[in-house]
Amino acid sequence: MRKKTKFIHAGISRDPYTGAVSVPVHHASTFKQDGVGHFKYEYARTGNPTREALEKLIADIEEGTHGFAFASGMAAITAVIQLFSAGDHILATDDVYGGTFRVLTKVMNRFHIDVTFVDTSDLDAVRASIRPNTKAIYVETPTNPLLKITDLRAIAGVARENGLTFIVDNTFSTPYWQNPLTLGADIVVHSATKYLGGHSDVVAGLVVVRNEALAEDLHFIQNSTGGILGPQDSWLLIRGIKTLGIRMEEIESNTKQIVDFLSAHPAVEKVYYPGLIHHPGHKVHSSQAGGFGGMASFTVSSQEKALEILKKTRYFTLAESLGAVESLISLPPLMTHASIPRERRLELGIEDGLIRISVGIEDVEDLLEDLENALR
Ligand SMILES: *Cc1c(COP(=O)(O)O)cnc(C)c1O
């Protein structure tokens, strides 16, 4: 099965009982047992048929063997970190998603799981940060908002040499463009709230592995801590994933044209997009992913100017989040990255006038006119 076919036909794509071509939403919390201990499903925290259909689907499309659905991306990431124990140390990409930074530094530290943030695009820096108690490397690529790229095959090599679990947040690329498990990762996590859901109407998280022992441990944690995705949201995600392929193709084409427009515009200073030849991660990203995605950032001369632009766009909606059919625009220094001190933000390259866009699937001519008017 090829990718777009898989999104529609992989996993459990129909109801064997009625022949319905859409998986039913099973709102049952418990299931009748044929005799004590004889059952297919027992209790819906442990397993629910609608959630199971989604979990089988994400496992298939990420080239894994076991999938797990959680109530949010953060619940999924938290469950993955709970694979580790007090005294363990984790290396993480230095500009990971803000919520990941927060859960690692303000929650998991309470359980004595230690973390070091490192530029994972620098292999020597990664090697130098490994300690005797290091157990995992946690990578995001491309990152937010500067679209920094990490070489997944190279990090997989370092992880293997040192016996570390290699975790990748694949939210930005989606399984349509990038499959980290095939590049040597052990665990893939997703904020399915973004491209997988794709319509800004569901909050969800997914985890995929291809190792039996990891799968067993993850299911144990999912069932023990209980941060599961409900049946209605599981169904919404299955529906969203069916169109992931055509959405990502359209987003790719729109984003290319918008990035070209921005690169040529006199009011725009810098453009960050891994599809640009001069982007420092262009070659590595091209070697590990089939497309560059719908996230791009650009700078204008000042924050005042940026704020004016954000007021003027009509189709680019001013909002956090990303990855949906509608285009979104945001100002990371005052929104997603506001909790980082300005000095640190500037060190990271997040300038005051940095604007981030998430390109949707509107007619690209409307999107271009929208930006043209706002930049005037
Ligand atoms: C949004 C996001 C998350 C968190 O997911 P939620 O569904 O909001 O909990 C994690 N990683 C990345 C890259 C994200 O964009």
Side-chain angles (χ1 to χ4, degrees), residues 64-79:
T65 54
H66 296 77
F68 303 90
F70 293 88
S72 68
M74 288 321 305
I77 290 164
T78 300

Side-chain angles (χ1 to χ4, degrees), residues 72-74 77 97 100 140 169 171-172 191 193-194 203-204 322:
S72 68
M74 288 321 305
I77 290 164
Y97 176 74
T100 305
E140 235 173 78
D169 181 333
T171 301
F172 270 36
S191 170
T193 312
K194 317 294 167 55
V203 173
L322 59 106

Side-chain angles (χ1 to χ4, degrees), residues 149 153 178 274-276 281-292:
I149 304 299
R153 288 186 189 89
Q178 182 170 273
L276 291 169
H282 176 73
K283 253 182 134 165
V284 169
H285 185 84
S286 307
S287 75
Q288 63 194 15
F292 301 103

Side-chain angles (χ1 to χ4, degrees), residues 10-26 40-41 49-50 52-53 56:
I12 301 165
S13 60
R14 62 188 64 203
D15 177 27
Y17 186 63
T18 60
V21 297
S22 162
V23 171
V25 184
H26 289 283
K40 181 138 188 260
Y41 300 95
T50 313
E52 185 185 281
K56 286 213 151 63

Side-chain angles (χ1 to χ4, degrees), residues 313-324:
T313 54
R314 175 170 166 208
Y315 299 120
F316 278 94
T317 304
L318 175 60
E320 296 204 1
S321 198
L322 59 106

Side-chain angles (χ1 to χ4, degrees), residues 144-145 297 330-338 345 350 354-356:
N144 174 26
S297 297
S330 68
L331 193 64
L334 290 191
M335 295 169 69
T336 45
H337 292 66
R345 278 204 310 265
I350 303 168
L354 183 82
I355 294 173
R356 186 191 84 174

